[in-house]
Amino acid sequence: YRAVNIALVNELKMLYDKLNIDVWEVIDAAKTKPFGFQAFYPGPGLGGHCIPIDPFYLTWLARKHGEQTRFIELAGEINTHMPHYVINQLGEFLNDNSKAIKGSKVALLGAAYKKDVDDPRESPSFELMKLLLKRGAVLTYNDPHVPSLPKMRHYPDLPAMDSQALTPEYLAAQDCVLISTDHSAYDYDFIVQHSKM
């Protein structure tokens, strides 16, 4: 059910962007409910060994018994599409600053699939990296928990990379800094202060 809830939030994020509604304000308003509220936040996709995969076991079992799980499948589609959505948004932001993804220096913050872990399994960061490289970005990354990118079977063509130190000079040298994983170690005021975009 968590994958479905996250898919709903991600889909609302895409819709709210088109309607010029601030998703963060909506979530803050929903938090005022006095009971039974659990916040789900939009993100670049799902990762890990459970949420992106386990719901499809139920789908397979349901099909075996002649049933359909359209909502689970739709959630999977939405969550799988999020890296593409993020890269399209990044392309628009760069374009608004007279830049293209091709040739732009992009730093991706976070390779782990979730906050404060060193596990990159099924991380949407790898899909973001693949899409950025495919569009010609000059890509580097930082992750305090993943010092070097491991070989991933779904991404055999990703180059070997090491995490770069998060210094003012490194951030200032980038055309864009893309936050993929919300690690506690990231000081967002520091990142914004030293980044162009």
Side-chain angles (χ1 to χ4, degrees), residues 62-100:
R63 281 191 183 149
K64 203 172 160 185
H65 289 82
E67 297 294 330
Q68 290 192 355
T69 55
R70 290 182 295 180
F71 210 57
I72 292 171
E73 292 170 37
L74 180 59
E77 281 180 42
I78 291 166
N79 291 328
T80 299
H81 176 71
M82 286 311 293
H84 297 272
Y85 172 77
V86 168
I87 298 305
N88 287 337
Q89 290 291 105
L90 181 138
E92 287 185 28
F93 295 146
L94 284 168
N95 193 43
D96 288 345
N97 287 276
S98 302
K99 294 189 177 290

Side-chain angles (χ1 to χ4, degrees), residues 141-162:
Y141 88 100
N142 168 276
D143 191 309
H145 303 285
V146 183
S148 296
L149 288 185
K151 284 289 183 190
M152 303 296 280
R153 64 186 165 100
H154 294 302
Y155 301 97
D157 297 330
L158 281 183
M161 283 192 259
D162 293 325

Side-chain angles (χ1 to χ4, degrees), residues 2 85 105 116 121 126 142 144 148 159:
R2 186 175 166 92
Y85 172 77
K105 292 180 180 178
D116 299 337
R121 286 180 291 176
F126 287 87
N142 168 276
S148 296

